Amino acid sequence: DRNILRFNSAYQILSGKRLRALHLAAASGLRCCDVARLDICDTNCVVQQALAADHSVRVDEISARPMGGEERTLIVTAIPIDRQLVLEIYRDVTADARIQRRYRTLLEAEKRAKADLADQVKQRTAELEEANKELKHAQAMLVHQEKMSALGQLVTGIAHELNNPISFVYGNIDFLAEYM
């Protein structure tokens, strides 16, 4: 019938009641679900599971709201002692659960930041590749211009070298005609 027969000081803290009030309530038929209302009390009672299975049952991270207290996260273990008695052990893991939630939040934020960073790296890589293409194009243009400039100087030099003897011959053709 889920009546509380005995409890320790940790259960008293969980209940939020004074020790004397808890003793009186237990003597008058206080039930475990009256002290700390668990999420599974109505649908899947741990005590009933342990009695039905005839071995200990452990349920992790159950939300509980003690009478007049803040919500807690508990690990509940129910160990059947005989066919009618069950030892129910509550372990308060509220602080651990908060740390785990905070850790998950930070981990998700880190994953998002990593994904954002990867996107930035891809974007910057694309920008750098585009700039590199432009640089190679400009370099090719400069090389082409230098080749054309060198070719122009070579042609100018050859023309000058050819022009000098031709000019000499052309300038002296009249004198040659007279000598002949």
Side-chain angles (χ1 to χ4, degrees):
D1 59 359
R2 299 189 288 186
N3 286 343
I4 297 173
L5 301 178
R6 290 185 175 56
F7 55 87
N8 61 11
S9 58
Y11 195 76
Q12 180 222 340
I13 293 169
L14 177 65
S15 72
K17 295 180 180 251
R18 295 183 175 225
L19 189 59
R20 180 148 176 81
L22 195 56
H23 275 295
L24 290 172
S28 67
L30 181 68
R31 295 170 24 152
C32 57
C33 58
D34 296 332
V35 174
R37 191 86 182 141
L38 304 178
D39 286 347
I40 62 173
C41 279
D42 295 329
T43 58
N44 206 7
C45 176
V46 179
V47 172
Q48 298 300 329
Q49 286 182 40
L51 285 173
D54 199 28
H55 61 77
S56 63
V57 175
R58 175 181 162 156
V59 182
D60 293 338
E61 294 195 20
I62 298 174
S63 293
R65 184 171 296 278
M67 295 298 183
E70 65 180 59
E71 186 169 316
R72 317 293 270 157
T73 303
L74 305 172
I75 295 175
V76 179
T77 305
I79 304 167
I81 298 172
D82 63 26
R83 286 282 176 205
Q84 292 181 339
L85 293 176
V86 175
L87 174 63
E88 200 171 20
I89 302 167
Y90 295 88
R91 180 168 171 230
D92 189 352
V93 292
T94 304
D96 294 341
R98 284 184 190 143
I99 290 170
Q100 288 296 324
R101 281 192 297 272
R102 179 70 176 140
Y103 176 73
R104 281 191 290 270
T105 302
L106 291 173
L107 191 60
E108 289 170 9
E110 183 180 345
K111 285 179 183 177
R112 283 192 304 273
K114 186 177 178 181
D116 291 346
L117 187 59
D119 290 343
Q120 286 179 354
V121 166
K122 284 180 184 176
Q123 180 183 3
R124 297 254 170 94
T125 301
E127 290 172 2
L128 286 174
E129 286 174 351
E130 184 64 31
N132 194 22
K133 285 180 186 176
E134 290 175 10
L135 186 61
K136 284 183 179 182
H137 180 70
Q139 184 180 17
M141 293 295 290
L142 281 173
V143 167
H144 180 70
Q145 286 176 353
E146 283 294 319
K147 284 181 182 178
M148 294 308 285
S149 174
L151 184 63
Q153 287 176 355
L154 179 67
V155 168
T156 303
I158 291 172
H160 180 69
E161 290 298 322
L162 289 175
N163 258 349
N164 281 343
I166 291 174
S167 292
F168 176 76
V169 170
Y170 185 69
N172 290 319
I173 206 145
D174 289 336
F175 296 115
L176 226 87
E178 281 177 30
Y179 291 135
M180 300 257 303

